[in-house]
Amino acid sequence: MTDFAALQEEALAELSQAAEDAALEAWRIRWLGRQDGRASSLLRGVKDQPADARASYGAAANALKRALDDALAARQDAIAKAALDALATTAALDVTLPGRPQPLGRLHPVTQTMRDCVRAFAEMGFRVAEGPEVEYAAYNFDAMRIPEDHPARDMWDTIWVDTLIDGEREMLLRTHTSPNQARVMERTAEPPVRVIVPGKCYRQEATDATHEWMLTQIEGLAVDEGVRMSDLKGTLYEFARKLFGQDRKIIFHHSYFPFVEPGVEMAIDCFICRGAGADCRTCHGTGWIEILGAGMVHPEIIENAGWDSSRYTGFAFGVGVERVALLRWGIDDIRHFYQNDLRFLGQF
Ligand code: PHE
């Protein structure tokens, strides 16, 4: 008759001597290994027992195997815990201290605002397109009805690129996203067009609380039969409500851009002084902050695309994304955005 109790005692005595991983593994293979482990072999021996002894033999062999499994797990735990305790007392390392949090990056507030603007227009059926930041003067100005020597070129103090392309084509850092009106029309066979073009623009500005030399715009263009000024107003009003909520006030002023007729500017009520500050730095005492220019696409630009301007009409707009970001968070100076101060950027 196999002496299970003696075997168990022998196994446990051996186990108590094993102090590291390799020794534990050797013990496991010796006793519990699937092929030749002693406990496993005993279990397989059930079939060689006389019929009347099989049940009690099997139960005892199973109990032995289970006891050894449990003992191994307990021994592994005890060794791991002892190692941690040793580390905590010997090394100058307190393993109970919480870890240092990894600083998580986040999207720049202008990027967040850009995405919200794009989403607002996308929900109204505008598709997103892109265009180059280094642009031909021909697109930035001429195609937009701003010929050389036209005083309107002074509206955008331009950063020119030194090199002439093909010896003659002047290039610049685009001063607005409007050249993409021409670029989009050029690659569209026939209206309808309903597109927005987000991107960075550059101007040689004397910077102040609302002007930076780099700015982000979203150009919008819709051309189709029967597009009217009321469509422009409705679209931009809906945009303002999506971004600023139902109670924000907007106002349209007449304005001049050579590529639209008529032209307007849309402004939102100043959140800083609420219209009360004559010397408010942000709205310059007007009570309003301009966030976009817009207007009805000039018929000449529609004709330049090869379309019949007596059949097709359109509206266009250019949103200043930094201005929108200033307004929605009540930020008092546009220059914060590009100074890379994490104390500022971390707040959004
Ligand atoms: N491109 C103009 C600007 O940068 C804005 C604008 C876009 C105005 C489209 C009218 C239509 O000031």
Side-chain angles (χ1 to χ4, degrees), residues 12-308:
L12 295 185
E14 265 182 39
L15 181 61
S16 67
Q17 301 299 312
E20 338 144 321
D21 288 351
L24 285 177
E25 180 60 7
W27 181 90
R28 188 191 64 76
I29 291 170
R30 195 156 58 247
W31 288 93
L32 296 165
R34 212 168 269 223
Q35 286 299 322
D36 302 318
R38 291 175 69 182
S40 314
S41 309
L42 282 171
L43 259 178
R44 268 199 305 277
V46 172
K47 60 182 183 311
D48 305 325
Q49 301 302 311
D52 59 345
R54 263 181 216 166
S56 61
Y57 178 97
N62 261 320
L64 172 65
K65 174 151 187 325
R66 221 173 304 123
L68 297 193
D69 280 336
D70 292 347
L72 176 61
R75 182 83 182 130
Q76 284 168 329
D77 279 355
I79 288 174
K81 185 168 179 309
L84 267 184
D85 287 347
L87 201 63
T89 51
T90 60
L93 169 72
D94 184 350
V95 294
T96 64
L97 276 179
R100 276 187 210 138
Q102 287 289 330
L104 276 187
R106 61 183 79 193
L107 292 177
H108 191 281
V110 173
T111 305
Q112 293 181 36
T113 303
M114 162 77 96
R115 293 192 178 180
D116 293 339
C117 293
V118 167
R119 189 176 315 117
F121 286 117
E123 282 168 4
M124 291 188 270
F126 286 80
R127 183 175 70 74
V128 180
E130 280 188 303
E133 285 177 32
V134 181
E135 180 59 285
Y136 290 110
Y139 280 107
N140 194 83
F141 290 132
D142 303 75
M144 302 321 290
R145 302 187 69 254
I146 315 169
E148 227 174 321
D149 304 326
H150 191 290
R153 282 208 185 185
D154 298 343
M155 287 168 74
W156 298 275
D157 211 341
T158 308
I159 301 174
W160 294 89
V161 174
D162 268 350
T163 324
L164 291 184
I165 306 298
D166 305 330
E168 52 178 335
R169 303 186 66 184
E170 288 180 303
M171 296 203 90
L172 43 73
L173 299 188
R174 67 180 175 199
T175 60
H176 53 176
T177 43
S178 294
N180 293 291
Q181 292 184 30
R183 286 182 172 276
V184 166
M185 289 191 222
E186 198 173 74
R187 52 177 194 258
T188 307
E190 196 70 17
V193 175
R194 207 179 295 144
V195 76
I196 52 173
V197 187
K200 294 196 184 79
C201 308
Y202 305 84
R203 296 174 189 183
Q204 226 151 14
E205 295 273 9
T207 60
D208 65 19
T210 49
H211 294 84
E212 254 290 9
W213 62 271
M214 181 180 83
L215 61 149
T216 315
Q217 286 193 335
I218 299 177
E219 192 74 13
L221 176 70
V223 183
D224 202 353
E225 285 182 53
V227 173
R228 300 184 304 175
M229 187 82 185
S230 53
D231 298 311
L232 178 161
K233 288 180 89 172
T235 302
L236 295 178
Y237 187 35
E238 179 61 18
F239 163 70
R241 289 204 300 201
K242 278 181 194 283
L243 261 102
F244 298 109
Q246 303 290 329
D247 51 347
R248 208 59 188 262
K249 289 190 207 126
I250 62 166
I251 193 168
F252 287 94
H253 285 128
H254 169 262
S255 185
Y256 171 70
F257 302 95
F259 36 92
V260 290
E261 182 56 43
V264 293
E265 262 160 25
M266 188 173 98
I268 292 191
D269 55 320
C270 178
F271 60 92
I272 296 279
C273 70
R274 299 269 164 214
D279 41 34
C280 174
R281 278 206 312 155
T282 306
C283 69
H284 304 292
T286 63
W288 299 97
I289 300 173
E290 186 211 325
I291 63 160
L292 61 83
M296 300 306 290
V297 179
H298 197 287
E300 216 172 278
I301 290 180
I302 294 192
E303 290 291 334
N304 286 346
W307 300 335
D308 179 357

Side-chain angles (χ1 to χ4, degrees), residues 313-326:
T313 49
F315 66 81
F317 56 84
V319 182
V321 179
E322 284 83 359
R323 299 281 185 90
V324 174
L326 286 183

Side-chain angles (χ1 to χ4, degrees), residues 340-348:
N340 280 341
D341 185 338
L342 288 176
R343 290 169 304 179
F344 171 77
L345 296 175
Q347 295 176 42
F348 306 97

